[in-house]
Amino acid sequence: MSKFFGMRRAKEVQRRRVADRRQALLSSVFLATFMFSPAYASASDEPPIGIILAAGDISKCGPPGADEKTAGILVQEIAKAKSANIQIAILPLGDLAYDNGSEADFKCYDKSWGQQDIYRLTLPVPGNHEYETANAKPFFHYFSKLPIVAASTKRGGYYVVDVPAEGKATWRIYALNSYAGAGKSSPQIKWLANDLSESKAPCILAFWHPFIFSSGHHGHAHSSNADAPFVRGNSMVAAFQVLKDAGATVVLSGHDHDFEQFGRHDVNGSPDSDGLRSFVVGTGGGPLYNNVLYAKRPPTSEVYRQDTHGVLKLELYSGSYRWSFLQIDGDKPITLSPNEDRCRSRS
């Protein structure tokens, strides 16, 4: 039998946290029982200590569509992880329930990514479409059965969890809400900076809905001109900079309905060997944005595709990670290169 592990907020993992994080939180995911060396081994040397499956821009009411197919991928990967006793989490990257994030829209989400085997492993963040109904109230109500979401709702729906190995936090994962105040002086960004300063986890991942850079439709200010310049998404710039300064490793987002992999970059999009790698994974089931193929792309864009639904799979190791894209049946595969990187130094 697989054991479960508790993914808790900072106070339970580190005793000197601020008062609003004193309540222990539990989000059920499978506990890896593999023994591994704490040295920073290559991803090819050992089984992963955890797996993340991520995509955003997911469900829309109507006939069965791509969201049911991406949900099928999740079910298969969960079964594989359970069989191997590897802990796994599902990260919906916002815009879960089109068009308006209403109660009715979430009833449709419930038929795909809301299946019980998926739901109980979910670490969600809202997107802009969730905030089109009652300040995202249906989103928070739908996920209120997840203790970590319920406990974070009052302050804005952002939280942190750990992926432990041998009793220590090896990866620390930040779920940030782009629509709960994310400016430099906001409570959310101050909380993020404080938590990062106290955490000893060697590897840091953060996820939210809107990208920093994208080669897609939103990343070119909705232009129909294939020669339009790309633009930076500014809503999460402060979070990105705080994460970079703290030695974080990777950021996941959605919003543009396509897939893109970026090499390490700084907050301005310039190549930076000591920057963060990022991914845009807006391929969870919503209609893909493929009307325009833009000629001008951010300089660190390594892979960009606008013709395939699927999920990003991250295999987490003690000091590195590996990734692949799992496409739905009938869509074209996406080969990713590179597909492995080490965590940044946090010293």
Side-chain angles (χ1 to χ4, degrees):
M1 288 290 291
S2 298
K3 298 179 181 179
F4 295 98
F5 83 94
M7 293 201 293
R8 299 173 173 86
R9 288 185 296 167
K11 179 62 183 178
E12 188 170 0
V13 177
Q14 298 178 350
R15 297 296 182 182
R16 296 181 180 179
R17 294 294 196 219
V18 292
D20 68 330
R21 280 172 280 156
R22 290 179 179 176
Q23 181 181 0
L25 301 173
L26 182 64
S27 178
S28 295
V29 292
F30 290 106
L31 173 63
T33 56
F34 293 112
M35 297 300 292
F36 68 94
S37 168
Y40 286 1
S42 167
S44 61
D45 295 336
E46 59 185 23
I49 61 173
I51 292 172
I52 285 174
L53 302 173
D57 308 281
I58 298 169
S59 174
K60 182 177 175 64
C61 293
D67 59 321
E68 282 86 0
K69 294 181 179 180
T70 55
I73 294 173
L74 301 182
V75 171
Q76 292 174 5
E77 291 296 318
I78 290 168
K80 291 177 184 178
K82 181 178 181 180
S83 177
N85 285 335
I86 299 175
Q87 55 194 337
I88 187 169
I90 310 302
L91 274 55
L93 303 174
D95 281 3
L96 283 58
Y98 287 95
D99 284 321
N100 303 305
S102 66
E103 182 178 347
D105 292 331
F106 271 101
K107 288 181 179 179
C108 298
Y109 175 90
D110 195 62
K111 298 175 182 179
S112 57
W113 283 48
Q115 299 174 53
Q116 186 58 32
D117 283 351
I118 300 172
Y119 180 94
R120 64 190 179 86
L121 301 175
T122 294
L123 300 174
V125 292
N128 54 294
H129 281 269
E130 276 71 63
Y131 273 85
E132 291 183 12
T133 298
N135 204 33
K137 185 177 179 179
F139 167 90
F140 290 110
H141 176 72
Y142 180 80
F143 289 108
S144 62
K145 294 179 182 178
L146 299 175
I148 199 163
V149 176
S152 69
T153 297
K154 187 174 181 179
R155 71 173 181 191
Y158 49 91
Y159 53 92
V160 61
V161 299
D162 286 316
V163 180
E166 291 191 337
K168 297 180 180 180
T170 304
W171 280 80
R172 195 158 176 82
I173 300 176
Y174 292 89
L176 302 182
N177 186 348
S178 310
Y179 309 99
K184 187 176 181 180
S185 60
S186 67
Q188 179 173 201
I189 299 306
K190 290 180 178 179
W191 166 85
L192 174 65
N194 179 68
D195 195 272
L196 284 164
S197 70
E198 295 184 7
S199 173
K200 304 301 181 184
C203 300
I204 302 294
L205 178 150
F207 67 103
W208 56 71
H209 181 60
F211 53 80
I212 298 292
F213 290 98
S214 166
S215 296
H217 177 69
H218 290 308
H220 289 80
H222 311 163
S223 177
S224 59
N225 181 0
D227 290 323
F230 64 87
V231 296
R232 184 176 73 173
N234 288 323
S235 62
M236 297 301 286
V237 164
F240 190 97
Q241 188 62 57
V242 166
L243 288 159
K244 183 180 185 303
D245 291 344
T249 292
V250 59
V251 167
L252 310 180
S253 62
H255 197 46
D256 255 339
H257 295 198
D258 48 41
F259 174 83
E260 190 159 14
Q261 170 181 314
F262 290 93
R264 296 188 181 198
H265 60 90
D266 64 16
V267 74
N268 296 311
S270 300
D272 183 349
S273 61
D274 193 36
L276 280 77
R277 181 176 287 280
S278 65
F279 295 86
V280 177
V281 196
T283 54
L288 298 172
Y289 293 165
N290 53 16
N291 291 331
V292 181
L293 181 60
Y294 296 98
K296 297 176 181 178
R297 291 166 52 185
T300 63
S301 177
E302 295 175 338
V303 180
Y304 173 64
R305 290 281 294 275
Q306 53 180 195
D307 59 355
T308 299
H309 285 102
V311 301
L312 179 67
K313 178 180 180 179
L314 298 176
E315 297 175 276
L316 309 181
Y317 297 85
S318 54
S320 64
Y321 63 113
R322 181 165 49 194
W323 59 89
S324 57
F325 187 85
L326 309 178
Q327 81 278 1
I328 65 172
D329 289 344
D331 277 12
K332 297 178 181 179
I334 301 178
T335 301
L336 304 182
S337 180
N339 70 338
E340 183 178 345
D341 204 353
R342 297 176 69 83
C343 298
R344 292 175 61 217
S345 172
R346 299 199 65 214
S347 58

